[in-house]
Amino acid sequence: MTTHDVEIAIIGAGFSGLGAAIKLSQEGVDDYVLLDRGQDFGGTWRDNVYPGAACDVPSHLYSYSFALNPEWSRSYSHQPEIHRYINAVADEHRIGEHALFGSDVRRAEWDETAGRWKLDYERDGESHTLTARTLIGGVGPLCEPNLPDIEGFGDYRGKIVHSARWDTDYDFTGKRVAVIGTGASAIQIVPQLGKVVGHMDVYQRTAPWIIPRNERPYLSVENWAFKNVPGLQAAIRGGIYSFNEVVAAGMTYAPKALKPVEALSRANIFRGIRDPELRKAVTPRFAVGCKRILKSNEWYPTLDQDNVELVTDGIDRITETGIVTADGTARDVDVIVVATGFHVTDSPVFDTIVGANGESLAQVWEREGMQAYKGSFVHGFPNLMLLIGPSTGLGHTSMVYMIESQLNYLVDYVRKTRAHGITRVDVRKDAQDRFNAGIQRTLRSSVWVNGGCASWYKDHNGDITVLWPGFTFNFRNQTRSFDLDAYDVRTADRPAVVAESVQTADEAPAEPIGTDA
Ligand code: N01
């Protein structure tokens, strides 16, 4: 067992944790470590290796703004290329020197006396301890697979594979396969499996809206231009970003304006499926945008294949050999693929982070709902910054944009705490409450609240606590500077300091709380 102390500990080496590490290095902070239970950078893009895994945000936008990649091979990138990109960026910034891979953080607890976070983690089968002044949580919302709560699940004797824990050695050729789920992961897996399996049953609980996917390989002349024409890539990126913001406006303020998207989806169904009954079965019964809008050209034609059956009767139970639906039909299979998503609002990670009053994030959020100030700081959890925390999720554009907004906030946190000798910050409860009331007000008119669907954007109270409503540039504006006046702060020599007294004279006044409200 080892113990060591650092200024900052980052958990997670995906887009957000790596981005934090790069920004810290650029700020001259060298005393930090990055812990990840995997063996390299990439997070969700390292773990999701199922067949067909790809991003549904165009390549030019789905990258760091400070590390544009003119060599993307396709208009939408696939998992291996994104994984390679993330590792190349890490190498370029020499972040590997700070990484402790294979480290599974079991518990992180704030020690009030020491004014530090104490982390217990396992590495190479041994227990270790680490203390840090600041803890950055970059584990991401899509890291803990959600297994379906179906009777008999544990009884099944065949193979079970979750989309995010794919067994790349398993040969699906000629097998009888069941796929549970029709979300973003399933619609990518099913067309790939459909090419090789003997027979596949696809269990659909809720039909999603799916628009065509405008994916194509880039010509070498285009890659040349991305590299050599100044500003071209940034301009394309800006164009994609702006278009997506229009969609965000529709989702938040005027769901009826999304009718053209619905028409596009209906045309996609019509084009992909010949059988009228099947067309009806795959047509969603909620407003477009209420759940993530998916993109695929292959999903509907695959469902129309002879070796594929769409099963819409609810699953009653799983037996030793297969799945039984509510109408009593039993379908035996060799393998069950569970593409059933992630623990987002109930992640087990929340149990392991314990704040100043001895309560875990899970306990606080169970009582108060999943909330943070600017998606980043939670009252009662001093010096903890969450990346992609509550109310930062998106269904329409690149999460990397939100991450980079939070990285601006992190950089200014580092600058201000250093400049003023601040050792402890805790967001004030009233500031956090006002911020979240603003979010909930903005959400009232949104498709996520009014669209008539159940989604993983909602927490156990039925509140949308995952998503950022409205324009993402509002979030960018609100995270531009670390607004000390929203925090209780302490310095090393003075246990409690009024925030205003450490506010710099040239600092802009605190930005309005909430989103656009
Ligand atoms: O998970 P999901 P996902 N019985 O939660 C069904 C990102 N992502 O892994 O809709 C039967 O969306 C569930 O049914 P229902 C992206 O942000 C991005 O697919 O709840 N079915 C649903 O169909 C995405 O949103 C990309 O009725 C059950 C499915 O399982 C997020 O990851 C690619 C069930 C779960 O869908 C998660 O996507 C992949 C049960 N007991 C993922 N439980 C791209 O960029 C659940 N389901 C392309």
Side-chain angles (χ1 to χ4, degrees):
M1 167 158 167
T2 60
T3 303
H4 57 293
D5 306 318
V6 290
E7 187 57 26
I8 299 180
I10 305 168
I11 309 177
F15 256 117
S16 59
L18 171 61
I22 292 171
K23 292 293 169 185
L24 291 177
S25 290
Q26 289 173 342
E27 278 304 295
V29 178
D30 201 41
D31 187 18
Y32 71 87
V33 291
L34 205 159
L35 302 111
D36 194 295
R37 60 190 176 193
Q39 293 302 333
D40 66 357
F41 293 94
T44 194
W45 290 107
R46 176 197 61 213
D47 294 344
N48 281 267
V49 293
Y50 59 76
C55 188
D56 57 10
V57 176
S59 308
H60 289 296
L61 189 58
Y62 203 76
S63 57
Y64 294 117
S65 64
F66 55 83
L68 297 186
N69 177 16
E71 285 162 17
W72 289 124
S73 65
R74 308 183 69 82
S75 54
Y76 288 89
S77 302
H78 289 225
Q79 177 272 335
E81 196 168 4
I82 300 175
H83 186 209
R84 277 199 303 279
Y85 164 80
I86 294 173
N87 278 280
V89 174
D91 285 350
E92 193 186 325
H93 292 268
R94 302 169 66 93
I95 303 303
E97 296 165 11
H98 294 269
L100 283 176
F101 289 119
S103 299
D104 191 2
V105 178
R106 297 297 173 89
R107 191 174 168 88
E109 187 165 2
W110 175 253
D111 178 345
E112 191 64 75
T113 314
R116 299 177 73 84
W117 283 94
K118 177 172 167 285
L119 276 69
D120 297 323
Y121 66 99
E122 302 264 316
R123 190 169 193 232
D124 296 332
E126 286 187 28
S127 303
H128 304 274
T129 300
L130 176 78
T131 79
R133 175 76 65 197
T134 295
L135 177 62
I136 298 174
V139 296
L142 307 177
C143 76
E144 297 291 339
N146 172 41
L147 298 175
D149 184 17
I150 299 172
E151 187 192 324
F153 189 75
D155 300 337
Y156 181 64
R157 292 244 184 102
K159 188 170 180 63
I160 296 184
V161 193
H162 187 277
S163 54
R165 297 288 179 271
W166 201 257
D167 180 352
T168 49
D169 293 331
Y170 186 79
D171 185 4
F172 282 81
T173 311
K175 296 284 193 317
R176 294 169 305 165
V177 182
V179 178
I180 303 178
T182 54
S185 302
I187 70 144
Q188 297 185 329
I189 294 168
V190 164
Q192 297 307 315
L193 293 185
K195 293 172 189 165
V196 297
V197 299
H199 179 84
M200 179 161 51
D201 301 316
V202 177
Y203 289 83
Q204 169 187 281
R205 189 166 66 180
T206 312
W209 288 108
I210 305 176
I211 59 174
R213 183 178 168 93
N214 183 20
E215 181 185 329
R216 66 177 180 86
Y218 281 129
L219 305 171
S220 49
V221 65
E222 289 177 289
N223 286 114
W224 180 90
F226 298 148
K227 198 168 185 170
N228 295 296
V229 179
L232 177 62
Q233 238 194 320
I236 296 173
R237 189 178 159 96
I240 301 166
Y241 172 79
S242 305
F243 176 80
N244 287 348
E245 288 303 284
V246 174
V247 177
M251 286 173 163
T252 310
Y253 307 109
K256 288 207 170 86
L258 298 171
K259 280 285 171 195
V261 181
E262 184 182 317
L264 206 58
S265 300
R266 287 184 187 277
N268 205 19
I269 294 172
F270 197 78
R271 193 180 56 182
I273 293 178
R274 294 156 300 176
D275 174 6
E277 283 304 310
L278 186 55
R279 280 182 184 160
K280 206 162 135 197
V282 298
T283 303
R285 299 191 182 140
F286 58 87
V288 70
C290 185
K291 289 159 96 87
R292 189 181 177 95
I293 299 169
L294 309 181
K295 295 178 182 172
S296 176
N297 302 330
E298 297 173 286
W299 170 254
Y300 295 125
T302 304
L303 294 184
D304 211 17
Q305 280 174 205
D306 291 341
N307 65 339
V308 179
E309 182 186 356
L310 181 77
V311 182
T312 54
D313 290 310
I315 297 175
D316 180 55
R317 63 186 188 281
I318 294 180
T319 63
E320 288 184 2
T321 51
I323 297 178
V324 179
T325 43
D327 63 348
T329 308
R331 292 174 179 85
D332 286 352
V333 285
D334 304 309
V335 51
I336 300 178
V337 172
V338 283
T340 43
F342 300 85
H343 287 285
V344 179
T345 56
D346 60 347
S347 171
V349 174
F350 304 155
D351 290 308
T352 67
I353 300 179
V354 178
N357 61 5
E359 280 189 304
S360 67
L361 268 182
Q363 286 171 313
V364 173
W365 284 347
E366 169 71 24
R367 196 176 53 243
E368 298 174 4
M370 197 173 92
Q371 291 184 5
Y373 178 64
K374 301 193 174 179
S376 305
F377 285 81
V378 182
H379 175 67
F381 293 78
N383 297 9
L384 168 69
M385 179 168 182
L386 301 173
L387 298 173
I388 326 186
S391 308
T392 59
L394 304 171
H396 69 288
T397 193
S398 173
M399 278 311 297
V400 185
Y401 181 88
M402 298 301 273
I403 291 168
E404 285 197 49
S405 302
Q406 289 194 279
L407 297 183
N408 293 341
Y409 203 57
L410 170 66
V411 165
D412 206 44
Y413 161 83
V414 169
R415 286 183 186 162
K416 288 199 173 115
T417 49
R418 279 177 153 191
H420 301 294
I422 294 167
T423 53
R424 183 188 192 276
V425 305
D426 188 10
V427 68
R428 289 202 328 265
K429 184 77 169 64
D430 61 317
Q432 184 177 309
D433 287 347
R434 274 207 308 283
F435 176 81
N436 283 290
I439 297 257
Q440 293 305 323
R441 255 199 317 278
T442 308
L443 278 164
R444 269 185 219 145
S445 58
S446 77
V447 70
W448 305 295
V449 167
N450 304 301
C453 74
S455 77
W456 59 264
Y457 299 151
K458 294 178 183 167
D459 69 9
H460 62 281
N461 295 321
D463 294 326
I464 309 273
T465 52
V466 170
L467 289 179
W468 175 258
F471 299 108
T472 58
F473 53 76
N474 280 336
F475 186 71
R476 176 63 57 100
N477 286 336
Q478 292 185 38
T479 47
R480 235 173 252 291
S481 88
F482 187 75
D483 42 349
L484 275 172
D485 59 348
Y487 294 80
D488 290 321
V489 299
R490 292 182 194 169
T491 58
D493 52 345
R494 290 193 295 164
V497 176
V498 179
E500 286 75 18
S501 67
V502 294
Q503 199 92 13
T504 52
D506 59 345
E507 191 162 281
E511 285 152 322
I513 305 289
T515 55
D516 343 82

